[in-house]
Structures are given as C-alpha cells and as structure tokens.
Amino acid sequence: MNTEKQTQETIYATLGGADAVRRLVDHFYDLMDTDARYAGIRALHPQTLAGSREKLYLFLSGWLGGPQLYIAKHGHPRLRARHLPFAIGVAERDAWMACMKQAMADVSIDPALQTHLAEAFFGTADFMRNKLG
Ligand code: HEM
C-alpha cells in the first residue's frame, strides 16, 4: 500500500481496523451456524467454519480498503469462480445478505455505514449467483 493511500480514511479504518473486521466475520458465521434461517447456506459450507472465517476475514480486510491479506496469501480472489461449486440463486444470495445485515447491526456498525456496506455487499453477492431461481 502506498503512503498516499495510507493517509486516506478507508472504510476499514472507520470500522475500527482488523479487530472490527474479525468481530464482524465471527459474528456473521456464528449467526450462520446457529440461526435456522441460514441453515440452507450453512449446509453449503464445511463442517467446521474455521477456514471460512479466516478466508472471509482476509478477503474483507482488502475489500474494505485495508491490507490485501487474502491476495498476499491466496492470490487473486477469483470469487465468482471459487463459488461455482456451490449452487447459489436468489434464495442463497438473500440469506447471505440477511445474515450479513444482521451481523452488521449486532456488532453496532454505524447505521449509515451499514446501509452503504449492504449495497456494496449486495453487488458482490448478486454476482455470485450461478443458478436460476
Ligand atoms: C451469495 C451468497 C453466498 C454464498 C451462498 C456463499 C457461500 C460460500 C461457500 C460455501 C464458501 C466455501 C467456504 C469454505 O471454503 O470454507 C465460500 C467461500 C468464500 N466466500 Fe462466499 N458465499 C456467498 C457470498 C459471498 C460474498 C458476497 C463474499 C464477499 C463479500 C464472499 C466471500 C467468500 C470468500 C472470500 C470465500 C473463500 C474463497 C476461497 O478462498 O476458497 N462470499 N462462500
């Protein structure tokens, strides 16, 4: 990251940096693991969510304007390709979004920032759709 970029206020910094991103990701997967509304997308994931937590944390760090941890470790995210093994339609997209919106509210992210992030997450989640319906 260049010096100029470091002096800009990123969403990553506004949120509270690494600890805040970890908190959000952990809560997101805790909800997915326990709330019956997310059982459908939970079932697409491995039995243990430790790897999923770590990968989403690494990815969101860079996606939110912080350190590009995912790229440093795994290379280009190729997110759509990496989701192709999982059947993702409108229901899965909407469940993922509902889970993330609930997680953002529960960890008390600023409401205006929640709205902004929800729009950005939606763009990515919608792009993951790979089946009709
Ligand atoms: C649209 C609904 C979505 C569903 C159903 C879904 C489901 C999944 C599943 C089942 C995995 C594999 C988990 C694992 O390997 O441990 C995964 C991986 C991942 N997902 Fe999603 N996902 C969705 C949307 C998103 C969105 C919107 C993002 C980012 C904002 C995202 C980021 C990631 C990342 C970074 C990985 C790890 C990729 C890898 O290194 O293999 N996903 N997702």
Side-chain angles (χ1 to χ4, degrees):
M1 200 186 280
N2 63 35
T3 323
E4 200 180 312
K5 201 160 180 194
Q6 280 171 352
T7 58
Q8 288 170 0
E9 183 73 357
T10 60
I11 290 182
Y12 176 85
T14 307
L15 272 175
D19 288 350
V21 179
R22 281 260 186 224
R23 205 156 44 240
L24 174 63
V25 168
D26 275 339
H27 192 57
F28 171 77
Y29 276 117
D30 286 347
L31 287 170
M32 196 193 287
D33 209 19
T34 53
D35 190 317
R37 283 173 297 175
Y38 313 128
I41 54 171
R42 172 64 185 91
L44 299 174
H45 288 73
Q47 203 173 354
T48 166
L49 290 172
S52 313
R53 287 177 198 267
E54 184 63 11
K55 285 181 266 182
L56 187 57
Y57 162 70
L58 296 174
F59 176 80
L60 289 185
S61 171
W63 190 79
L64 293 164
Q68 294 283 0
L69 302 177
Y70 184 96
I71 291 173
K73 196 156 183 191
H74 302 291
H76 191 286
R78 298 187 301 110
L79 264 199
R80 192 163 195 286
R82 289 194 209 260
H83 285 78
L84 286 179
F86 316 109
I88 300 177
V90 166
E92 290 77 17
R93 176 200 70 190
D94 289 350
W96 196 99
M97 281 304 303
C99 189
M100 182 52 80
K101 282 185 181 174
Q102 193 183 336
M104 288 196 292
D106 288 352
V107 302
S108 302
I109 290 174
D110 170 76
L113 192 49
Q114 284 183 43
T115 305
H116 173 76
L117 283 173
E119 282 171 20
F121 275 126
F122 183 84
T124 304
D126 194 50
F127 184 57
M128 295 306 145
R129 284 192 297 120
N130 52 33
K131 69 161 184 181
L132 292 175

